[in-house]
Amino acid sequence: MTIRITEDEDESGGYAFIDLGRPLASPLLSFRRQDTEPRHLGAEGWQPEVAWLAPLAVTERDGRAVARFGPNVVDRIEELVPIEIVAQDGTSFGVVAWPTISPAPSGGGILAGLPAAAPTLTRDGIGGPSVAATEAVPLPEPEPAPPQDAAPAAPPAPAPAARKSRLLWPLVALMLLALAAGGAYLYRDRLPDLVARREAPPQEPSPPPAPPEPDSRLTAAELRQRYARLVDERAPAGAFLALGETALASRQGSAAFRAFEEADPVTSADAAWQLARFYDPGNADAAYREAARPDIVRAAYYYALWRNRSPRHTEALRALCEGSAASDRLRAICRP
């Protein structure tokens, strides 16, 4: 059984599960890259001497050992680098092309996601909440009472406002009469229209709008559940290809990439084609671009897996090789 590497979805990046495909007798493993020197991964990075690294945890699943590693391994291996995994007792579990795994967050990115502190009240010097001061309004002083033997005061003259209100009442009455006359005039002119509307047959009510069609797209969580179920069932490549197509239809590019990768691009031409499309600079589809940035070398790698065996892979690879300034890695892939 081949090695299977999957990202730990419970972490924000930098952790992965490595399903070795068979039991593990020794707890220490070695990661050896096959493309360049130095080829051994150590505690401080790549080094010429062999190094043995301990997983964070090892679990048994149906007779297969599953080792969990963190950023000291995951963040130091680039995507598509061929890696041989060897146990300390000399058992080689085979060579695997390292998959796409999100790196561990670093720097201020962790703090940037924290919620802002709740606003607090500014306190004054005595410890209470500060409030805006209001200006005191002095109360009017009471007038002195008149002496009892004084003559009664004359009644006060009516206030100017009272006099004005007496003059306004005739004007208000005239305005109301004018409005009533105007309303009667308009009603007389519109009476034929009102009668015609009343005598017209009632119209049938318009049918209610059709209910919206239910959205058949799956969420990222639902796709992860299906992916995990297929892995546990050891489903064939066709099941992962179908899941990848469903994820693309749901506009979930990351889930689609993981499913196509599990289908094994080395043995599946469709899986290799889809993974190449994720990196092909000529593909602008948003679902693909959400999962991976354009990378002509990686696109050429997946196309080249089926060169001379699949016409579409061969033609797409030729177009990439002819339409770009080739780097050393791209020239090596494009070489027949």
Side-chain angles (χ1 to χ4, degrees):
M1 182 177 178
T2 59
I3 301 172
R4 177 181 292 142
I5 303 176
T6 56
E7 184 172 350
D8 187 351
E9 298 290 347
D10 294 333
E11 301 287 347
S12 56
Y15 292 83
F17 295 104
I18 302 178
D19 187 339
L20 299 172
R22 38 187 167 149
L24 176 64
S26 172
L28 300 180
L29 295 174
S30 171
F31 296 84
R32 307 174 184 182
R33 62 187 305 163
Q34 307 296 302
D35 57 343
T36 187
E37 296 287 344
R39 61 188 301 252
H40 299 284
L41 181 60
E44 302 298 329
W46 296 102
Q47 61 187 38
E49 303 82 13
V50 65
W52 303 102
L53 304 178
L56 300 176
V58 178
T59 58
E60 292 288 336
R61 184 185 302 168
D62 298 333
R64 312 186 315 269
V66 180
R68 183 176 183 265
F69 282 90
N72 63 323
V73 171
V74 174
D75 287 359
R76 288 175 174 162
I77 305 180
E78 298 178 357
E79 182 187 0
L80 302 180
V81 172
I83 298 292
E84 182 185 15
I85 301 179
V86 182
Q88 194 175 26
D89 61 1
T91 302
S92 175
F93 294 94
V95 178
V96 61
W98 197 262
T100 301
I101 299 178
S102 304
S106 59
I110 300 176
L111 300 180
L114 295 179
T120 57
L121 291 174
T122 304
R123 301 274 175 176
D124 57 19
I126 60 174
S130 62
V131 295
T134 58
E135 183 178 358
V137 180
L139 295 176
E141 297 182 358
E143 297 181 357
Q148 296 182 357
D149 56 351
R163 289 197 299 268
K164 290 182 180 179
S165 63
R166 294 172 184 172
L167 296 175
L168 287 176
W169 276 111
L171 295 176
V172 172
L174 290 175
M175 292 176 62
L176 292 175
L177 289 174
L179 290 174
Y185 179 79
L186 293 175
Y187 180 79
R188 184 194 61 185
D189 289 348
R190 297 190 58 191
L191 183 59
D193 294 338
L194 296 175
V195 174
R197 277 189 199 174
R198 189 171 182 180
E199 294 178 354
Q203 298 180 356
E204 296 183 359
S206 57
E213 296 183 0
D215 192 353
S216 60
R217 295 182 180 181
L218 299 180
T219 64
E222 292 171 330
L223 291 168
R224 282 197 300 268
Q225 292 176 358
R226 292 193 180 189
Y227 174 86
R229 185 164 59 250
L230 291 178
V231 171
D232 292 339
E233 296 173 355
R234 304 172 68 177
F240 288 100
L241 287 174
L243 180 61
E245 295 291 348
T246 300
L248 284 180
S250 301
R251 316 307 293 169
Q252 298 289 341
S254 299
F257 187 97
R258 189 178 298 112
F260 291 134
E261 194 173 47
E262 187 66 30
D264 192 359
V266 176
T267 59
S268 171
D270 291 332
W273 174 263
Q274 288 289 1
L275 291 174
R277 297 291 293 162
F278 276 95
Y279 293 113
D280 195 326
N283 181 16
D285 190 291
Y288 291 85
R289 292 284 69 85
E290 174 265 336
R293 291 179 297 180
D295 190 317
I296 191 172
V297 174
R298 293 178 178 178
Y301 168 82
Y302 284 112
Y303 286 138
L305 290 177
W306 288 82
R307 175 173 46 197
N308 300 329
R309 292 188 292 169
S310 167
R312 61 174 179 171
H313 292 71
T314 305
E315 179 59 25
L317 177 63
R318 183 195 61 77
L320 284 182
C321 295
E322 292 181 354
S324 62
S327 62
D328 292 339
R329 288 188 66 186
L330 184 59
R331 276 194 293 269
I333 296 175
C334 293
R335 188 178 303 117

